[in-house]
Amino acid sequence: MELHVRYEGDDDPDKCSARKLSRLDEAELHRATRSTPPGIVLNPFADQALSPADRPAPGDGARHSRVVALDCSWETAEREAFDLEGVHRSLPFLVAGNPVNFGTAFQLNTVEAFAGALAILGERDHAERILSPFSWGHTFLELNEEPLRRYADCADSSDVIDVQDDYLAEE
């Protein structure tokens, strides 16, 4: 799957996972909304959770084989910033493994969001590959091993929400 980032550039460039993905030719950065191609938009404000049902089917074309993320500071993230073309989906309960937000639910950085999405969509090898250059990348997968496996086994968004509710009830 292609990875695209609507890049705001308001985080520390030395800690920006989107920039590192771009340098490694794993993702393409876009400085403007109109230059960001449509795809599955990872949007925490979306009404529907990402599920295996969002996986591109053969013949769906490039639009459905792209995952798009917005890279911006959590302090400035607003609903309007996610005005990107495509199918909007929220990620279910996952815990950050990066040093900045370690252990915080729903506060993933860009590479973690991509990796979580890829794992849910059945692209586990791709998720591992994009996390491998990060010293803490394996930590994200270890912390979320069970939920990612369970989400990937779901049929649709409502099943993902049911699994997520199991984790939120424990919190």
Side-chain angles (χ1 to χ4, degrees), residues 2-166:
E2 294 177 19
L3 304 179
H4 293 267
V5 180
R6 170 61 183 93
Y7 179 68
E8 292 287 324
D10 54 0
D11 283 334
D12 181 344
D14 294 330
K15 295 178 183 173
C16 181
S17 64
R19 287 173 57 117
K20 187 168 186 173
L21 286 175
S22 176
R23 284 193 308 272
L24 297 169
D25 290 326
E26 292 287 354
E28 188 174 337
L29 300 184
H30 304 275
R31 295 278 185 171
T33 298
R34 72 174 180 271
S35 68
T36 306
I40 299 169
V41 179
L42 302 179
N43 178 348
F45 303 106
D47 293 329
Q48 193 170 343
L50 182 72
S51 78
D54 294 307
R55 189 175 334 184
D60 271 353
R63 177 186 185 113
H64 297 287
S65 63
R66 292 185 195 115
V67 179
V68 180
L70 172 67
D71 185 275
C72 67
S73 169
W74 278 104
E75 288 81 37
T76 61
E78 295 179 11
R79 188 176 298 268
E80 296 78 29
F82 290 89
D83 188 23
L84 297 165
E85 188 179 338
V87 178
H88 288 242
R89 298 289 185 261
S90 61
L91 286 172
F93 172 86
L94 293 169
V95 176
N98 70 75
V100 175
N101 292 317
F102 180 82
T104 306
F106 300 105
Q107 294 278 316
L108 310 180
N109 66 20
T110 303
V111 70
E112 289 172 321
F114 278 142
L118 290 167
I120 292 167
L121 294 171
E123 300 281 336
R124 176 69 184 224
D125 291 345
H126 194 172
E128 291 174 4
R129 185 177 81 233
I130 65 170
L131 285 168
S132 66
F134 298 87
S135 61
W136 46 263
H138 67 283
T139 304
F140 173 76
L141 291 174
E142 289 168 7
L143 289 171
N144 296 290
E145 183 67 34
E146 181 184 343
L148 285 172
R149 180 184 46 75
R150 289 182 67 194
Y151 297 142
D153 288 341
C154 290
D156 57 26
S157 182
S158 63
D159 288 349
V160 168
I161 295 302
D162 290 342
V163 171
Q164 173 182 265
D165 288 346
D166 290 346

